[in-house]
Amino acid sequence: MKLDRKEILKALETITIAGEGKNMVESGAIANVLTFGDEVVVELVLTTPAMHIKKRAEEDIKKTILELVSPEAKIKINSKVQVPEKAEIKGKSIPGIKNIIAVASGKGGVGKSTVTANLAVSLAKMGFSVGVLDADIYGPSMPIMFDVENEKPISILVDGKSKMKPVESYDIKILSIGFFTAPSQAVIWRGPMASKALNQMIFDADWGELDFMLIDLPPGTGDIHLSIMQSLPVTGAVVVSTPQAVALADAKKGVSMFMSEAINVPVLGIIENMAYFTPEELPNNKYYIFGQEGAKNLAEDLQVPFLGEVPIVQSIREAGDYGRPAAMQTGSVIETVFEDITRKVVEETISRNENLPASEAIKITTMAGCSAVKK
């Protein structure tokens, strides 16, 4: 049996690599294909060192050749990684802030703000200096979740300039539009006004030295998201979803936004919130109310890391309402859950910083970057 190189290349055109819209051959990931009778050697070049992407690509190549070309083919894959040189950060960074993590969801009501608050306190417990920017202009939650509803940022002088001093709670620095409006007051702003308010909270504040700034983004993929990406070089994004199909469809759009060519922000992973319910009187039982492992399967399909599951526990809701995030409950299941998830976020951030170019604040002019507009 003699394998046909052209037939193999045609088969490999049916495979794509995560984060790349083109197929393996078109994108240049397949550097070369050599055939020797029933043997085939595929030269694979990847631009990301992530092991799960490399493993998935190799498995896809083998499976495709065996199914579309010959089930008797003997396949060898030589993989190498060529990471682009680190680029200089462009845009306006904030001095003293090492990592900026955007926490997003395609859909509202999935518990994104709750996850953000608990990630923040878990990071602080690990010894990191943490700040939270509540960028959900129309539904700010952080003042309630950190029990600082009645606090107001004060003005201080820094190098002769007036700056906002973030409100501090549980060793975490917080700024939110909720500090500047009455609890019952609706924020009725157009996009430019909201973007201007965000820019003031980002650049006119004295954040000091931070290991992590978490940005709690509003649901969707709209104007606020673009404003943040234009303003800041975001290190990476964490996407929160619940397991049911209607939430996963929107989470997929959220991941797609960050991975698009116009935005190009690394996705650190997906967190599945409200994954299952365990009654207190039946601690070994798990009831998958909204479906099972939907976000985990989505992460595998999109080839992004799965960061973990957060169960439905009454104390999470109660803790958020009382202004003391549940991850602070020493010795609890929730503390362990969020510690594991937070550790994975830190690991993915370190890996991203070591292996990928520095983020750039994106440049969007008029309708550039809007996939719905024909160019």
Side-chain angles (χ1 to χ4, degrees), residues 5 14 33 64 78 85 89 119 184 187 196 206 210 235 268 307 314 325 327 341 372:
R5 181 176 182 273
T14 63
V33 172
T64 300
N78 296 328
E85 292 183 10
I89 294 179
L119 283 177
S184 59
V187 178
K196 185 176 180 180
D206 178 31
L210 294 179
T235 308
L268 302 178
L307 300 173
Q314 185 173 332
I341 291 173

Side-chain angles (χ1 to χ4, degrees), residues 157-192:
L157 280 177
V158 179
D159 298 328
K161 295 181 180 178
S162 179
K163 296 270 188 180
M164 277 186 288
K165 181 176 171 50
V167 171
E168 291 197 33
S169 179
Y170 311 124
D171 297 322
I172 294 162
K173 296 178 180 178
I174 308 160
L175 274 182
S176 167
I177 200 67
F179 293 138
F180 306 100
T181 59
S184 59
Q185 181 184 346
V187 178
I188 308 170
W189 288 348
R190 292 187 185 275

Side-chain angles (χ1 to χ4, degrees), residues 66 72 80 90 105 115 117 133 136 139 165 169 181 199 228 235 261 267 270 276 333 369-370:
L66 292 173
E72 299 175 7
K80 66 178 180 178
K90 296 180 182 178
S105 66
V115 169
L133 174 64
D136 194 348
K165 181 176 171 50
S169 179
T181 59
N199 273 331
I228 291 287
T235 308
E261 189 176 341
V267 177
I270 297 176
Y276 55 86
V333 172
C370 178

Side-chain angles (χ1 to χ4, degrees), residues 86 89 93-103 123 128-133 207-215 232-238 265-266 268 345-354 356-359:
K86 293 202 172 188
I89 294 179
S93 60
I94 308 177
I97 298 182
K98 296 176 184 175
N99 298 288
I100 300 173
I101 310 296
V103 184
L123 284 167
F128 294 106
S129 51
V130 185
V132 173
L133 174 64
W207 288 101
E209 299 287 328
L210 294 179
D211 295 310
F212 288 91
M213 172 187 273
L214 303 183
I215 302 180
L232 292 171
V234 176
T235 308
V238 170
V265 168
L268 302 178
V345 171
V346 173
E347 288 169 0
E348 291 297 332
T349 302
I350 292 171
S351 173
R352 175 257 176 277
N353 288 339
E354 287 178 348
L356 292 178
S359 295

